Amino acid sequence: MHSKNSKSKPISALRELLTNEASGGIVLMFAAATALFVANTALAPHYFEVLNIKIAGLSVLHWINDGLMAVFFLLVGLEIKRELIEGQLAKWEDRILPGVAAIGGMVVPAVVYLAINGWSGATARGWAIPTATDIAFALGAIAILGRRVPVSLKIFLTALAILDDLGAITIIALVYTDALQLGWLLAAGATLGLLAALTLSGQRSLWLFLLLGVFLWLFTLKSGVHATLAGVALAFTIPLPPRTEGAERGRPLLVLEHRLQPWVAYLVVPIFGFANAGVSFAGLKLSVLTAPVTLGIAAGLFFGKQCGVFLATWLTVSLKLANRPAGASWLQVYGVALLCGIGFTMSLFVGLLAFPGDELLLNEVKIGVLLGSIAAGLAGIVVLAMSPKPAN
């Protein structure tokens, strides 16, 4: 069943990722819309009450954002590692275009946000919120267009979003870390060291890695570093030995990635969306639409993302550092740049870290993310729908 072509497996894994992420994006859209509906009906008190129920010292919302989302970050880490080792980002020449585009797509939105909110003050802390791309939503939007979008652009978008996620993870680790608890941090470091030693020793038992991963998550939670980063750290220790004929079962990373993809796409991310997208408009004034945080996020996602991604891509190709995605026109590249402004999942997540416990600012974050993401998504779909179909 396995081809001897060294590129066959990464392409197959990528196609599975595209399928799960795209259809999962549609489920996520439904979950977010349902949350908005519930939060503005008679069910609203029950919705918010359930999210605040305490279980083992943490609220349901806390368990979702710190616990369940660690599984999401585990999958993100697995995808990044696989793509860097043997996938679409394995060669430096393949990393240049999506890498530069990802950097442009992070820097420009941050500048737009800070230009509106100022470079100091309480709301400046939210500069990273519009820098992320939601791959599930973006691929879900592309799925609506079918074959009108070249496969090369879907691969470009996926690679860009994966590098974008890596950037967001780095920001979370460096910027949104609480006061560190040295003892717990040392325990997390020791556990990570043990996981690395197991990898180097040739250990292949997924259950052993996952069991130690639970302890890594707990120690990270107690240390002050955001607990979801434990998922990424665990992912980078999961073994991915060289491919041999018919030996997928001996490649734990691929096994775990393929098992997690449907659970994350159809359960973890939709639950996160449902728990965090609910904004009650009762008592909200129209002035919330012109609040600096709302405007900064919406403008960052819609204007900042498209400018940063498209200009960085155009400049890279113009300087002959990389080639434009095969079979794609500049209009189609611009359409994908627009779709990069859909920042739902990761943007909401960063917003929760930027303004913890501030209900007013968190509502502005949610509204800004929704407005910017919807505008970017609709504009991207229209541009791609108007562009000519690819020749192949």
Side-chain angles (χ1 to χ4, degrees):
M1 295 297 292
H2 294 272
S3 168
K4 293 182 180 180
N5 184 347
S6 63
K7 292 187 177 181
S8 62
K9 191 62 188 179
I11 293 175
S12 174
L14 181 60
R15 284 176 178 169
E16 183 174 343
L17 167 65
L18 290 171
T19 301
N20 282 332
E21 292 282 11
S23 51
I26 296 173
V27 176
L28 177 56
M29 293 177 194
F30 178 77
T34 303
L36 279 173
F37 172 78
V38 170
N40 291 279
T41 65
L43 296 172
H46 305 291
Y47 170 79
F48 292 109
E49 181 181 349
V50 169
L51 291 177
N52 288 315
I53 292 176
K54 296 285 186 178
I55 301 175
L58 299 177
S59 68
V60 170
L61 184 61
H62 199 163
W63 276 111
I64 292 171
N65 293 340
D66 281 27
L68 200 58
M69 284 299 282
V71 180
F72 166 77
F73 277 88
L74 171 59
L75 179 60
V76 169
L78 293 173
E79 291 169 351
I80 291 172
K81 180 176 178 177
R82 174 178 54 77
E83 291 294 334
L84 289 173
I85 292 177
E86 62 178 34
Q88 300 300 318
L89 300 172
K91 299 178 181 179
W92 279 106
E93 56 264 33
D94 295 330
R95 300 172 187 172
I96 293 174
L97 189 63
V100 174
I103 293 172
M106 297 184 74
V107 171
V108 179
V111 171
V112 170
Y113 178 91
L114 291 171
I116 294 174
N117 282 267
W119 296 74
S120 61
T123 61
R125 182 173 166 81
W127 64 267
I129 297 172
T131 64
T133 295
D134 192 305
I135 188 172
F137 261 134
L139 290 176
I142 279 184
I144 296 173
L145 299 165
R147 296 183 179 179
R148 184 173 291 277
V149 181
V151 174
S152 63
L153 269 184
K154 297 177 184 178
I155 293 174
F156 170 69
L157 174 60
T158 304
L160 189 161
I162 287 173
L163 292 173
D164 191 289
D165 283 343
L166 182 59
I169 290 165
T170 304
I171 290 172
I172 291 171
L174 297 178
V175 179
Y176 299 116
T177 295
D178 298 327
L180 296 177
Q181 301 295 322
L182 184 59
W184 290 112
L185 188 61
L186 290 174
T191 306
L192 187 59
L194 178 57
L195 284 163
L198 289 174
T199 302
L200 293 174
S201 69
Q203 178 61 247
R204 299 289 182 266
S205 173
L206 262 179
W207 287 111
L208 180 57
F209 280 92
L210 293 177
L211 177 61
L212 288 172
V214 173
F215 286 99
L216 178 62
W217 175 84
L218 178 61
F219 297 152
T220 305
L221 176 68
K222 297 287 188 179
S223 73
V225 177
H226 201 273
T228 52
L229 296 178
V232 180
L234 173 62
F236 275 83
T237 67
I238 302 295
L240 183 62
R243 184 186 304 105
T244 57
E245 187 69 18
E248 178 180 340
R249 291 185 179 180
R251 312 188 75 206
L253 186 145
L254 288 183
V255 173
L256 183 59
E257 181 186 1
H258 292 166
R259 289 178 180 175
L260 283 180
Q261 278 175 356
W263 288 99
V264 170
Y266 302 126
L267 184 66
V268 173
V269 173
I271 287 177
F272 172 83
F274 180 76
N276 289 280
V279 181
S280 174
F281 297 121
L284 285 182
K285 300 179 180 179
L286 287 177
S287 58
V288 72
L289 296 175
T290 58
V293 170
T294 305
L295 287 178
I297 294 171
L301 287 172
F302 184 73
F303 295 109
K305 270 291 185 180
Q306 61 171 290
C307 291
V309 171
F310 184 77
L311 291 177
T313 302
W314 176 82
L315 184 61
T316 304
V317 173
S318 297
L319 293 176
K320 301 187 184 302
L321 298 175
N323 296 320
R324 192 171 65 199
S329 67
W330 278 118
L331 183 61
Q332 290 173 319
V333 172
Y334 175 63
V336 166
L338 279 164
L339 292 182
C340 288
I342 304 176
F344 189 79
T345 305
M346 194 68 83
S347 292
L348 285 179
F349 188 81
V350 174
L352 294 170
L353 300 180
F355 306 119
D358 193 319
E359 186 176 348
L360 176 60
L361 287 180
L362 286 177
N363 280 336
E364 291 175 4
V365 167
K366 293 175 183 179
I367 293 172
V369 169
L370 288 171
L371 290 176
S373 296
I374 291 172
L378 291 177
I381 290 174
V382 169
V383 168
L384 289 171
M386 291 172 55
S387 63
K389 291 184 179 180
N392 295 320

